[in-house]
Amino acid sequence: MTFTAPRGTQDILPTEVLYWEYIEQVTAAVFSQFNFQEIRTPIFESTELFTRSIGTDTDIVEKEMYTFLDKKGRSMTLRPEGTASVVRAYLEHNLGAAQDVQKLWYQGPMFRYERPQAGRYRQFHQMGGEVLGTKSPIADAELIQLTIRIFQKLGLHDLEVSVNSVGCQVCRPVIREKLKSFFGDNLPHLCEDCQRRFKNNPLRILDCKNKKCKHYLMGLPSMTTTLCHECQDHFQGVLNALDIMSVRYKHNPGLVRGLDYYTKTVFEVTSKHLGAQDAVCGGGRYDRLVKLLGGPEVPAVGFAFGMERTVMVLKEQKVEIPALGGKKVYCAALGHAAREKLLSLVKDLRDAGIQAEMEYDDRGLKAQMKRADRFGAVQVVICGDDEVARKAVQIKDMRTGEQIEVPWAEVVQKLIS
Ligand code: HAM
């Protein structure tokens, strides 16, 4: 019997990991510039945390959660996203008491039982940030700027930012009625799910993945004019701040997002290189979630981007991944005595912070030079019986081909400089 990775999951092999490390390092540095601190939460949580946060009418809760009973019969779910867990941790550890505004970032695997296709997996990975404790539109705009900064730093440029406002509990009922009268005549043509959504939450129809339903979105009335004064002012404040920060965006009045906790601002970053699953990043404001999970009124805004989709865009745009880590030195030994000498030299080089590698087995110089090349060595230390007798090694520079003899006592210093 042979085993394969479960459908919708993938192994990230060493050549791929280079992309992942690159994204993780660049993103962590940008988060730090914006004064975010990292938080790590469990991979599973009680099911109710997600049903309450994400909303019972959403695709995620209706169809996509990995839910199981633990040995004591409690319902647990593998996290389908990170926001609910961050809010739970924020409340559980009373993080709001330490600082009015908390800026937290996270990364890790998320799980959704979706139909796998390019860019859509059942285990996928996100990096995301949440700002808790401010209702200022500047926070929303700054977060959008932060996502753009991450993608620019990664070397990605032709991404599009779409923004919209989905209103609050004051204007949402009016938006719902407006949508109901828009969809009313076409209701029999919508899919079964949307017919149900029409009754419970017509905003969800805008997020339906069914092609037929998407067709009936043509001529959708703008929701912006239906927003209450506070939401209109807030949305104008976000757009104004984006203009001041020179962030380019498109107002997409049909953008609603697939989770129910959003209020006011929602946004998405898309790439034309991704095909059907074109959203690299999504986020928005969720001013009622902290209260919904049993806390005080704490306004908040956040976003998350998908690692797999970001890797796909990096490859599509042929972005060169800069080599991470320090200088690489390969040690080629010819004979037993030389190998013993190089064993201690490799240790000294690693102690000095150099990435060093040596051959374990007896191999000719040609085979070892090939390995050095594959390793990406900048310099190769060569040592045979003659060098052992002279208490020296040869150092070959792989870029210039130049080779010099260096006494043992000076090798580490020579390779560091
Ligand atoms: P989301 O839009 O569901 O938002 O996911 C964010 C990103 O995760 C997507 O833009 C996409 O790149 C990636 N993603 C989602 N599902 C999959 C999948 N099945 N396979 C591969 N990649 C996927 C959220 O999760 C919110 N928690 C974002 C947020 C944070 N809003 C406020 N704070």
Side-chain angles (χ1 to χ4, degrees):
M1 172 173 185
T2 52
F3 293 102
T4 53
R7 191 163 137 77
T9 71
Q10 51 177 354
D11 299 310
I12 303 155
L13 301 175
T15 46
E16 285 286 296
V17 165
L18 294 179
Y19 286 92
W20 289 65
E21 285 179 347
Y22 172 59
I23 298 171
E24 284 159 9
Q25 289 198 5
V26 168
T27 307
V30 175
F31 272 128
S32 162
Q33 282 169 358
F34 281 72
N35 193 27
F36 279 67
Q37 290 176 304
E38 188 181 356
I39 183 165
R40 300 183 188 200
T41 62
I43 276 172
F44 63 90
E45 302 262 3
S46 82
T47 301
E48 205 192 335
L49 174 71
F50 298 118
T51 49
R52 252 214 247 173
S53 308
I54 298 168
T56 42
D57 293 327
T58 58
D59 277 354
I60 296 180
V61 170
E62 272 180 352
K63 309 174 191 164
E64 297 170 1
M65 295 213 298
Y66 275 92
T67 297
F68 58 96
L69 294 181
D70 73 5
K71 290 204 189 298
K72 291 236 164 100
R74 290 168 292 220
S75 182
M76 297 288 163
T77 293
L78 297 183
R79 62 180 185 197
E81 58 105 48
T83 311
S85 306
V86 170
V87 172
R88 198 256 320 126
Y90 172 88
L91 288 173
E92 188 171 335
H93 305 285
N94 199 12
L95 297 181
Q99 244 169 305
D100 309 353
V101 178
Q102 277 283 340
K103 294 180 170 186
L104 302 166
W105 74 269
Y106 54 89
Q107 66 173 336
M110 309 289 161
F111 306 85
R112 295 184 194 174
Y113 195 88
E114 295 197 74
R115 199 165 47 77
Q117 63 179 78
R120 191 161 74 192
Y121 304 95
R122 291 182 174 167
Q123 175 174 330
F124 60 99
H125 299 75
Q126 287 184 343
M127 291 187 84
E130 313 290 346
V131 180
L132 295 119
T134 174
K135 57 181 183 187
S136 166
I138 294 178
D140 310 34
E142 198 186 52
L143 215 57
I144 296 172
Q145 187 209 18
L146 186 156
T147 65
I148 294 305
R149 174 76 60 90
I150 291 170
F151 292 124
Q152 277 173 351
K153 287 262 173 203
L154 287 173
L156 302 175
H157 295 285
D158 52 355
L159 295 168
E160 261 194 13
V161 182
S162 305
V163 287
N164 193 25
S165 175
V166 290
C168 63
Q169 80 235 68
V170 175
C171 43
R172 192 74 60 81
V174 190
I175 295 177
R176 282 187 182 162
E177 283 317 307
K178 198 165 174 178
L179 286 174
K180 277 190 167 179
S181 59
F182 172 71
F183 287 116
D185 290 346
N186 289 320
L187 188 58
H189 306 296
L190 301 182
C191 73
E192 242 173 65
D193 282 344
C194 282
Q195 304 213 2
R196 194 170 21 79
R197 287 169 184 146
F198 182 84
K199 282 194 209 108
N200 304 339
N201 188 355
L203 262 170
R204 291 261 67 83
I205 301 175
L206 309 194
D207 196 41
C208 183
K209 287 168 190 149
N210 190 317
K211 266 197 195 132
K212 214 170 92 187
C213 299
K214 278 189 196 297
H215 169 77
Y216 288 103
L217 294 182
M218 274 192 297
L220 185 78
S222 167
M223 286 182 286
T224 325
T225 49
T226 317
L227 297 176
C228 64
H229 282 308
E230 192 193 311
C231 286
Q232 282 201 10
D233 284 352
H234 190 274
F235 191 48
Q236 210 41 59
V238 176
L239 302 187
N240 191 36
L242 287 174
D243 289 338
I244 292 172
M245 293 188 290
S246 306
V247 175
R248 286 174 51 197
Y249 60 85
K250 213 174 64 185
H251 174 198
N252 174 359
L255 181 66
V256 286
R257 314 257 312 113
L259 305 101
D260 268 354
Y261 50 60
Y262 292 113
T263 49
K264 298 193 168 85
T265 319
V266 288
F267 66 93
E268 246 171 35
V269 181
T270 52
S271 163
K272 60 178 184 310
H273 295 285
L274 283 178
Q277 304 302 317
D278 64 352
V280 196
C281 168
R285 179 161 280 285
Y286 50 95
D287 288 344
R288 290 173 45 77
L289 183 58
V290 181
K291 188 149 189 214
L292 191 71
L293 296 181
E297 292 235 5
V298 178
V301 56
F303 79 98
F305 69 85
M307 295 286 283
E308 287 79 358
R309 292 186 194 174
T310 307
V311 171
M312 283 169 79
V313 188
L314 282 170
K315 286 185 179 171
E316 203 56 51
Q317 294 197 4
K318 299 197 171 32
V319 173
E320 287 248 350
I321 306 300
L324 300 173
K327 180 178 185 178
K328 290 185 176 180
V329 173
Y330 190 86
C331 295
L334 299 163
H336 181 71
R339 183 165 308 108
E340 287 199 340
K341 178 61 211 160
L342 291 192
L343 190 60
S344 77
L345 177 65
V346 164
K347 176 193 172 290
D348 292 345
L349 289 175
R350 288 175 181 158
D351 286 348
I354 290 176
Q355 274 190 66
E357 177 64 304
M358 73 177 285
E359 181 60 55
Y360 299 117
D361 302 310
D362 249 337
R363 273 183 219 278
L365 186 59
K366 210 167 149 197
Q368 296 196 59
M369 291 309 277
K370 250 195 200 159
R371 272 200 70 191
D373 209 32
R374 246 183 284 139
F375 174 55
V378 182
Q379 283 151 313
V380 179
V381 174
I382 304 165
C383 187
D385 290 341
D386 288 354
E387 281 78 16
V388 172
R390 289 201 299 276
K391 291 192 176 1
V393 297
Q394 304 289 327
I395 297 180
K396 181 170 175 140
D397 190 308
M398 296 294 271
R399 294 156 301 191
T400 60
E402 191 194 343
Q403 188 165 315
I404 51 167
E405 183 159 311
V406 179
W408 282 349
E410 294 166 27
V411 178
V412 175
Q413 201 46 48
K414 184 84 195 160
L415 289 170
I416 289 174
S417 58

